[in-house]
Amino acid sequence: MSLPKTLADDVARNLVMVAQLIDEDPEQAYAYSRIALRLASRVAAVREAAGFAAYATQKYAEALAEFRAARRMTGGVDLWPVMADCERGLGRPERAMAMAGEPEVQKLDKAGQVEMRLVAAGARRDMGQIDAAIVTLQSPELASNSVQPWTARLRYAYADALLSAGREDEAREWFGKTIEADKDGATDASDRLAELDGVEFVDAMGEDEDEDEPATVAETGAEAEAEADVDSDSDGDIDSDIDDAIEAEAEADDEIEVQADDKNSHDKG
């Protein structure tokens, strides 16, 4: 769907802010995503960005509705793993496990399949099946010496599962392997390994830094602009409409899933 240039530029600016803030300030990223959503709710990229912003702030029902909407618009399967993880966030690990066995998983690229494996292992742990979670993570990707973008996270999840199972020596080994792959420090594997080895870190500069820190931090222009945009919608009518639409879409998806299940049951009968 194309947008008028001025509107497209406004939407793009908000999406850029979502991408820039989602890791460091997810709440602010979420605020920008709501602005983009009000401007262009029929654009798949906007629905996807809104889904990730909601996911980052643990608004899993909202995130799932947005991901479903984006998937309907594009017909792709890339969001399947994060949709399954939303089911975990909603306390429905059984549904996440069911999604791990659906044909959509076979259509994912390698990174997506590894992500789905991580979600499935997490769902197993949610259900108290720690040994099954360990087996789920055992894969050619885990055994490979090649370092890929997912390698550190996969090794870390495996080490953490081993530790939860009381297999401390193996956990120590895999935390060490995680460090080898984690060049960007995306995980806290080094801290976990140090903890296992009985090493304690003391932040001697902590108190001094706290004393030197200014009492208040000035808002950036972008943050102030985003807050002004959000606050300007004082009666909340637009946000309410979006929320109603999200809820209606979620209910429609559930109805479609129920009908599909009924049809499959009838076909099998």
Side-chain angles (χ1 to χ4, degrees):
M1 179 180 180
S2 60
L3 298 172
K5 185 177 186 307
T6 300
L7 179 58
D9 289 343
D10 289 342
V11 172
R13 280 194 292 269
N14 282 285
L15 293 183
V16 168
M17 294 308 300
V18 172
Q20 289 180 349
L21 293 169
I22 196 165
D23 291 330
E24 296 181 1
D25 192 347
E27 290 291 346
Q28 193 66 44
Y30 176 77
Y32 278 108
S33 77
R34 297 295 291 185
I35 298 170
L37 196 58
R38 291 204 304 268
L39 295 172
S41 63
R42 296 185 181 276
V43 176
V46 171
R47 303 306 289 265
E48 183 174 333
F52 278 109
Y55 177 82
T57 53
Q58 300 183 4
K59 298 176 176 67
Y60 297 117
E62 184 177 332
L64 183 57
E66 295 297 347
F67 290 142
R68 284 173 171 171
R71 183 169 178 263
R72 284 198 305 272
M73 293 174 181
T74 64
V77 297
D78 293 349
L79 296 172
W80 196 254
V82 72
M83 289 169 63
D85 207 38
C86 285
E87 295 288 4
R88 286 186 60 212
L90 291 168
R92 303 191 296 236
E94 296 85 357
R95 294 188 68 169
M97 283 303 306
M99 291 179 69
E102 292 293 330
E104 283 81 356
V105 176
Q106 302 306 316
K107 300 175 184 178
L108 294 167
D109 60 16
K110 180 62 68 177
Q113 291 181 5
V114 171
E115 192 65 34
M116 193 70 240
R117 188 178 293 276
L118 287 166
V119 173
R124 290 290 190 189
R125 294 189 64 171
D126 293 343
M127 294 185 287
Q129 302 172 2
I130 186 62
D131 290 335
I134 291 172
V135 172
T136 298
L137 292 168
Q138 292 171 345
S139 62
E141 293 81 18
L142 179 68
S144 175
N145 290 324
S146 174
V147 175
Q148 302 295 333
W150 60 77
T151 302
R153 292 179 60 238
L154 185 60
R155 291 179 180 179
Y156 183 92
Y158 189 60
D160 190 52
L162 289 169
L163 188 59
S164 294
R167 296 159 61 174
E168 186 173 311
D169 289 341
E170 293 172 87
R172 181 181 285 105
E173 175 187 354
W174 281 96
F175 277 129
K177 290 182 177 182
T178 301
I179 295 171
E180 295 174 1
D182 191 7
K183 304 302 182 184
D184 297 327
T187 72
D188 64 347
S190 59
D191 293 340
R192 299 290 300 277
L193 184 59
E195 183 180 346
L196 286 173
D197 291 336
V199 177
E200 294 185 6
F201 296 98
V202 178
D203 186 1
M205 299 296 293
E207 294 183 0
D208 292 339
E209 290 175 355
D210 290 341
E211 291 175 359
D212 293 339
E213 184 178 352
T216 60
V217 179
E219 295 177 340
T220 65
E223 290 172 338
E225 179 183 350
E227 290 178 359
D229 286 338
V230 174
D231 290 341
S232 65
D233 187 17
S234 58
D235 59 3
D237 288 342
I238 299 178
D239 280 348
S240 178
D241 291 342
I242 292 172
D243 292 336
D244 290 343
I246 289 171
E247 182 177 354
E249 287 170 350
E251 291 175 355
D253 284 333
D254 290 340
E255 180 64 25
I256 291 171
E257 291 175 3
V258 169
Q259 292 176 359
D261 290 342
D262 289 343
K263 183 178 183 303
N264 291 336
S265 300
H266 180 270
D267 292 344
K268 291 180 181 177

